[in-house]
Amino acid sequence: MPDPQGAEFSVLRVPTGPTVPLNKLAPEAALRRLELTIVRRLEGFLHGDHLGLLPGPGSDTNDARVYQPGQDDVRKIDWAVTARTTVPHVRDTMADRELEVWALLDVTPSMNWGTEGITKRDLGIAAIATIGFLSQKMGDRFGGMMMRPDQVKRLPARSGRTALYGLLRKMLTEPIVADHAPGDLELADGIEQLNRSQRRRGMRVVVSDFLTPGDAELDPEVPPPWERAIRRLSVRNQVLCIEVVDRHELEFPDVGEMLIRDPETSFARYVNTSDDAARRRMDAASKAQRDRVRLALRRAGAGHIQLRTDRDWVADIARFVLNYRRVAGMLHQPPQGVSR
């Protein structure tokens, strides 16, 4: 009998419901405990009045600073300051205090995989809960979209934590998409729909494993099908991509003869995972695949967090916030000889 927590169980059984019980994320009492945990563990990483990871753009002018090639928009160059100092300067805008966040959750069959007691889909919902708690302030709105193979379901953006709890509850109770479910929507289509339907600037969160059915390309210089869509989304918004993976997708276990199959295509093959050479080849291909995802997101100008089902996802998000704040603080130092 396969171990219920082992890789064999995930191969032989398809989840029929959430692997994180509803009483751990909802109702409100359980969510309140999760919120307190997040706030305590991230306290000190966030600064300013707004708790958002990336506050929305504003229209009020702020201090001028030295232009950073490749990172700043040339349209923001302050020509008056540039003429006086003979060094290109840009003028920042003050962030609006009302932030609109939209999260796109990939719920296609590949997200049903999980060998550490939680599926990638439910890990993605937990990440959305974290972002929601961190980015909400008075008047802020949080909305969601769920991408199935045949349609994209939209959950309207509303303000308040009660509304956020309701959104998470709907995501948790969304029926599991069966393997080989009909539909031809891919991640690029979901991102494009998110970009077209939400015209107001703000923060956009894309949660997926970033796997495209039938795409076996490993060359990092070849852009994935969804890279252009994320690049377009990043033009008007701050984009954060959360990549969810399972440990046994990166490190194949030694469990003997095992069926490797794609839940979204007809590919199926038995592999002897006890063969060290075969296991090394599969691990190397998986690493190359994830490196391609990482480089594509960097080229698209999006923030990137990788969450694993066998790691502390709160600590991973906290580490990203800390690194982002440090880099942002360095880039936004005032010009030499000018005080804030």
Side-chain angles (χ1 to χ4, degrees):
M1 183 69 179
D3 180 3
Q5 300 298 327
E8 306 97 323
F9 186 83
S10 294
V11 170
L12 299 176
R13 298 287 184 88
V14 177
T16 57
T19 51
V20 176
L22 198 59
N23 59 9
K24 287 190 177 181
L25 287 180
E28 297 181 17
L31 279 173
R32 195 174 298 116
R33 289 197 299 269
L34 177 62
E35 176 193 355
L36 290 174
T37 301
I38 294 170
V39 171
R40 288 170 184 165
R41 299 180 70 168
L42 295 185
E43 189 173 11
F45 293 170
L46 306 178
H47 306 285
D49 296 329
H50 205 292
L51 293 182
L53 292 175
L54 302 170
S59 56
D60 295 332
T61 57
N62 200 356
D63 296 330
R65 59 177 175 81
V66 176
Y67 169 74
Q68 301 287 335
Q71 297 176 359
D72 292 325
D73 190 341
V74 295
R75 293 172 295 182
K76 294 184 178 180
I77 292 180
D78 190 317
W79 296 108
V81 178
T82 300
R84 290 196 303 268
T85 62
T86 68
V87 177
H89 281 69
V90 294
R91 188 168 295 276
D92 285 332
T93 55
M94 297 177 64
D96 292 334
R97 292 308 173 193
E98 182 181 345
L99 179 69
E100 185 166 289
V101 181
W102 280 88
L104 174 67
L105 175 65
D106 181 358
V107 294
T108 53
S110 66
M111 292 286 286
N112 297 332
W113 171 266
T115 63
E116 302 294 329
I118 183 174
T119 61
K120 295 189 293 183
R121 163 181 153 150
D122 292 339
L123 178 61
I125 297 175
I128 291 175
T130 309
I131 301 300
F133 290 132
L134 291 177
S135 62
Q136 283 223 330
K137 195 73 172 178
M138 184 66 68
D140 292 344
R141 303 199 306 162
F142 197 99
M145 301 177 72
M146 291 181 290
M147 195 198 78
R148 299 171 61 90
D150 57 342
Q151 64 174 325
V152 177
K153 289 189 174 182
R154 182 177 182 273
L155 305 176
R158 295 188 174 92
S159 61
R161 300 196 172 183
T162 301
L164 177 59
Y165 299 154
L167 182 144
L168 296 173
R169 187 178 294 112
K170 288 181 180 178
M171 287 184 170
L172 279 172
T173 56
E174 174 71 13
I176 300 293
V177 179
D179 291 356
H180 309 294
D184 55 1
L185 281 181
E186 295 185 356
L187 182 59
D189 303 316
I191 297 172
E192 289 287 0
Q193 186 164 332
L194 173 64
N195 191 25
R196 291 193 304 266
S197 60
Q198 311 306 328
R199 302 305 301 169
R200 182 179 180 182
R201 294 174 184 264
M203 182 178 178
R204 303 293 180 259
V205 182
V206 179
V207 182
S208 175
D209 54 10
F210 294 95
L211 298 178
T212 302
D215 183 13
E217 181 62 58
L218 298 180
D219 185 355
E221 300 303 322
V222 178
W226 41 259
E227 181 180 334
R228 185 176 180 182
I230 292 183
R231 191 188 302 272
R232 289 164 57 90
L233 186 65
S234 301
V235 171
R236 292 174 49 85
N237 305 280
Q238 295 283 1
V239 180
L240 174 61
C241 294
I242 301 179
E243 177 192 10
V244 288
V245 299
D246 186 83
R247 177 166 68 96
H248 289 112
E249 290 179 321
L250 307 177
E251 306 166 1
F252 279 77
D254 182 359
V255 292
E257 196 82 7
M258 185 173 69
L259 175 65
I260 304 295
R261 63 183 180 87
D262 189 335
E264 300 182 30
T265 66
S266 59
F267 176 86
R269 181 177 300 173
Y270 280 95
V271 176
N272 182 14
T273 59
S274 296
D275 184 343
D276 292 340
R279 200 164 59 250
R280 283 195 301 270
R281 288 194 300 270
M282 291 188 292
D283 290 347
S286 296
K287 182 179 183 303
Q289 183 184 59
R290 295 304 170 178
D291 288 342
R292 182 178 178 228
V293 170
R294 176 177 54 82
L295 293 174
L297 293 177
R298 177 183 296 177
R299 288 194 300 263
H304 176 212
I305 307 176
Q306 185 185 81
L307 302 182
R308 293 175 45 152
T309 56
D310 63 326
R311 283 202 317 231
D312 187 343
W313 50 271
V314 176
D316 288 339
I317 294 179
R319 194 175 298 110
F320 169 83
V321 173
L322 179 60
N323 292 335
Y324 174 82
R325 292 294 177 182
R326 183 184 298 116
V327 173
M330 294 172 59
L331 293 178
H332 289 78
Q333 289 295 326
Q336 188 175 3
V338 178
S339 61
R340 288 191 182 276

